[in-house]
Each structure stands twice: as structure tokens, then as C-alpha cells.
Amino acid sequence: MLEILFLLLPLAFYSGWRTAYKKNRSNQTNSNEVSTRFVQGINFLLNEEPDKALDIFLEAPSLDAQAAETFLALGKMFRNRGEVNRALRLHQHLVARPDLTNTQRQAAMLALGEDFFAAGLLDRAESVFNELLKTYPKNTAACMPLRRIYEQLHEWEQAFELTECSVVDKAERTRLMAHYLCEQVEELLVKKQLFQADEKLKKALSIYPQSARVQTLLAELALARGERRAALSYFRQALIYDQRLLTSLVKRLLTVFTQTLELQQLYEVVSTEYRRVPDAKMLPSLAAIAQEIGQGRSLIPLMHQHLQQDVGNVQTIACAARYLTHETSSETQPILAEVSLALGRLASTLPRFQCANCGYKLHEYVWRCPACHHWDSVQSQ
């Protein structure tokens, strides 16, 4: 509770000074009462009795700017400490007071919405933020938390509409807008509403032309229309924009493109990207495609090279061990085969992706981290 004491000390000093300053005025009794209340509140906080302290603070007959700011800071501290119920009680009291200025009321409503959000009461938080925007249209501070709520609720159209007022950076804004449109496209593709999906993708492409996700969805739309050559072209463009997608796309690619000519074209696409930016983490995917067209052994020199210079990850080592088993002598081959199998089993149990922002690990690739909710932060390990 010491941090709360330090928070309230300026208010206590201010209250005492105000009492001394007004000693000879008619409201001296009122000032003494206010000062006494805050001293009592601090004592309750020091005695680990925050609820009694809140009772004292909230019974104050009037609030000035200093007291209102202190209450807001105290409520934020309660919320950050996980004491959301106390923060809610404090901020609800502030919002209900008739003696707040417009600025103070807006700050209190914003804090109340954050409390509801922290408590998981998304509908009530949404209501507070919408009321704040309706009553004070110029207060855009509510746009960002309201957009976060719509993300949680998968209300992508509403989130899209709030991007303009909640994101200052233009590059970040266009990236988010494209993601929101892509989320809607995925839902439309599931429903086989191809025309609507096409319209959304055209809009996303105009907003963010370098989006790998847009290219991936264009490929899926082309596949839904039976345009396999166009789909392969879109997949290739997606890999050019974001090479890390290969790890998550390889199973899908091998499921879709099964004809010999398509597989050869796919191998050429992936090997070209590998030559452009050599990355050991691409080897398992490249090897899986090469195996389908009978060119797996051609990758053995690359396996040796990466094992000596850049091992990549466990999946890469397991893949290299599996290929190099055929290059060893008959005496060591069984041992290396056992090591290869063990590494393969280990690789299958390990998460293949990790969020660069919060470190959360996943087995499947996602565009938005489920832990910290950052977009485009998930990378292959």
C-alpha cells in the first residue's frame, strides 16, 4: 500500500495547505473536514483496509481538480493491481457525481470503460465507450479500447470503422484495415460467398498492396473458382512478401497441387525464394516438396551446409538427419537412423511458432497472437 500512500500524499499536503489558507474564511470548517477525511483515508490504506479508505474518500462532499485527478490515478492503480472491483466502485462514483467538469467526466468514463474491459465485461465496456463517443464526439481516446473490444468479439466491420480515429501511424493503420477485411473474407469464403469475398479483397489490396495475407486469400479465392494457375501465382507473391508463411502453407500447398507439373512449378517457386533469402528453417518445407517430385537427394549438400553454419531449428535438424542417414556407412547408418527418428518425434511435439512480442508459443500459425493480440507478430521458431 506504500505506493498508494505516495500517490495520496500530494493531495494530503494540498488539502492541508488549503485549510491553512482558508483559516479565516467562512468555510474553514468544511476545509478542516476535507483534510481530516483524507488523513483518515490514508490511515486506512496504511492499515491494509482499502475498502474503508474508499468509503472515506467517496464520501467527500465536494471534489476539486486535484482530488479528481488523484481519484482517477488511484482507480488506475487498483485496476493495474488486479483489484478491478475497487476500481469500478471508484470510477462509477466519479461518473455519477454532478460536480465534475466535462474534462473530468470524460476521463472518468474512459477509466470506467477500461475497468469493465479488464473485468471481462465487454458488453458494458462497449456501452460506456460508445456513450463517451456519442456525448463527446471529439474525444477519440475511446476509439482504441473500443476497437480492441470489437477485435475480441470478432466484429471486424466495426473494428475497421474505428481504425481511422484510433491509429495515428499510417502504415500501422493500413495494415490493420487490411487484416480486418481479410478476417471478413475468410468468413465469406467459408460461406461460399465468392463475389462478396472478391469485393473485400479488392478493397484490401487497394489499401495495402504488399499484404501477404491478401495474396494468400486471393489464392484461396482462385482455388474456389477453379483457377489453379492463378492460385499458384498468388501463393508465390505471398511468399515473396513474407517468406515465413512457407512453414504454415506447405501442407496446404501439397494438398492442393498434386499434379506433377504443378509440383515442379511449386518446387521452383520455393527454391527460388530460398535462393533469394537462404534460411535453414525453409529446408523441411523445401524437402517435403522435393520429395514429391523425386528430387530429395539433391538437397543433401544444403543439409551439410546448414548443419555446419546455421542449424535453423529442431525441425531442420531432424530433416537433415533423415536425409543424411542414406549417406553414412552401414555401421553408423542404424545409429543415425535412430537419432533421426528421435529428433523427428521431438520436433512433432514442439511448438513451431512463437510470438515475437510476448513469447507465446503455438503449433499453428495465426495472424494475430491469441495472448497479446498483436498482429503479424507470430514467427516460426
Side-chain angles (χ1 to χ4, degrees):
M1 283 295 172
L2 285 178
E3 65 267 32
I4 298 179
L5 172 62
F6 287 122
L7 177 69
L8 292 175
L9 277 177
L11 184 56
F13 282 123
Y14 170 77
S15 182
W17 171 83
R18 187 178 64 176
T19 301
Y21 181 76
K22 296 181 177 180
K23 185 179 293 183
N24 297 321
R25 302 182 63 173
S26 60
N27 58 352
Q28 179 181 3
T29 303
N30 243 0
S31 299
N32 283 331
E33 182 182 351
V34 171
S35 179
T36 302
R37 283 182 179 278
F38 281 106
V39 171
Q40 289 175 338
I42 291 173
N43 285 332
F44 280 127
L45 288 174
L46 290 175
N47 290 328
E48 300 290 335
E49 297 179 286
D51 290 321
K52 291 184 179 180
L54 274 179
D55 289 336
I56 292 294
F57 293 140
L58 298 183
E59 289 172 3
S62 61
L63 288 180
D64 53 25
Q66 182 81 14
E69 289 178 11
T70 302
F71 280 171
L72 288 169
L74 182 60
K76 182 178 180 180
M77 181 177 293
F78 280 137
R79 184 173 65 246
N80 291 341
R81 288 160 57 99
E83 301 171 12
V84 181
N85 287 336
R86 292 191 177 107
L88 277 168
R89 183 183 171 199
L90 183 57
H91 292 139
Q92 283 176 322
H93 171 84
L94 280 178
V95 170
R97 292 190 67 112
D99 54 347
L100 291 184
T101 64
N102 279 341
T103 301
Q104 292 167 349
R105 189 170 305 282
Q106 291 177 59
M109 290 180 69
L110 188 64
L112 181 60
E114 292 283 5
D115 293 341
F116 283 129
F117 185 84
L121 303 172
L122 300 186
D123 54 340
R124 300 191 68 176
E126 178 188 0
S127 176
V128 171
F129 289 136
N130 275 322
E131 180 64 26
L132 179 57
L133 287 173
K134 180 181 178 181
T135 309
Y136 306 99
K138 294 183 179 180
N139 189 335
T140 58
C143 289
M144 185 175 69
L146 186 56
R147 179 173 57 81
R148 294 203 321 259
I149 290 174
Y150 288 134
E151 282 190 359
Q152 294 280 77
L153 298 174
H154 291 187
E155 298 288 349
W156 305 115
E157 186 65 39
Q158 290 90 328
F160 181 90
E161 293 173 358
L162 286 168
T163 309
E164 193 72 34
C165 70
S166 63
V167 184
V168 176
D169 182 73
K170 183 179 179 180
E172 174 70 6
R173 183 167 63 246
T174 56
R175 189 170 61 88
L176 283 176
M177 293 171 77
H179 273 303
Y180 295 149
L181 289 168
C182 287
E183 290 289 343
Q184 296 174 62
V185 169
E186 289 190 354
E187 295 174 358
L188 292 170
L189 287 175
V190 171
K191 299 174 183 177
K192 307 296 183 183
Q193 298 177 1
L194 303 187
F195 176 79
Q196 294 90 329
D198 189 25
E199 292 299 307
K200 293 284 185 183
L201 282 175
K202 287 178 181 176
K203 186 175 182 179
L205 195 61
S206 67
I207 292 173
Y208 189 20
Q210 289 78 36
S211 170
R213 188 179 188 185
V214 172
Q215 295 296 324
T216 301
L217 288 174
L218 283 169
E220 294 293 349
L221 178 61
L223 286 173
R225 289 173 168 172
E227 302 168 355
R228 300 172 66 83
R229 182 176 296 181
L232 183 57
S233 176
Y234 287 130
F235 277 128
R236 179 173 191 167
Q237 193 62 43
L239 292 176
I240 291 174
Y241 288 153
D242 193 346
Q243 200 180 72
R244 64 183 176 169
L245 287 179
L246 179 60
T247 305
S248 62
L249 282 178
V250 65
K251 289 184 180 179
R252 173 65 173 158
L253 293 172
L254 289 176
T255 301
V256 171
F257 302 108
T258 56
Q259 300 175 14
T260 303
L261 181 59
E262 290 176 337
L263 287 169
Q264 289 174 344
Q265 292 174 338
L266 181 59
Y267 179 73
E268 181 60 30
V269 167
V270 176
S271 58
T272 299
E273 281 309 297
Y274 171 80
R275 289 192 297 270
R276 187 173 67 88
V277 184
D279 186 348
K281 294 177 183 178
M282 292 182 67
L283 277 181
S285 301
L286 184 61
I289 301 171
Q291 192 72 26
E292 293 293 323
I293 58 175
Q295 297 188 26
R297 294 179 68 85
S298 66
L299 298 180
I300 289 178
L302 289 179
M303 304 292 181
H304 281 290
Q305 178 182 336
H306 281 297
L307 284 176
Q308 294 169 6
Q309 299 177 3
D310 178 15
V311 296
N313 52 23
V314 175
Q315 286 79 13
T316 303
I317 298 174
C319 178
R322 186 170 63 254
Y323 274 80
L324 296 180
T325 300
H326 304 290
E327 299 296 305
T328 59
S329 64
S330 58
E331 291 83 7
T332 59
Q333 194 174 63
I335 299 174
L336 188 55
E338 288 183 7
V339 173
S340 174
L341 287 172
L343 284 171
R345 288 193 297 268
L346 175 61
S348 66
T349 64
L350 295 176
R352 302 179 65 187
F353 304 96
Q354 184 174 14
C355 176
N357 183 65
C358 70
Y360 186 77
K361 296 183 178 181
L362 310 94
H363 288 277
E364 299 293 335
Y365 181 82
V366 292
W367 295 99
R368 177 172 173 261
C369 174
C372 67
H373 309 305
H374 274 64
W375 293 89
D376 294 320
S377 61
V378 176
Q379 301 175 353
S380 58
Q381 292 198 87

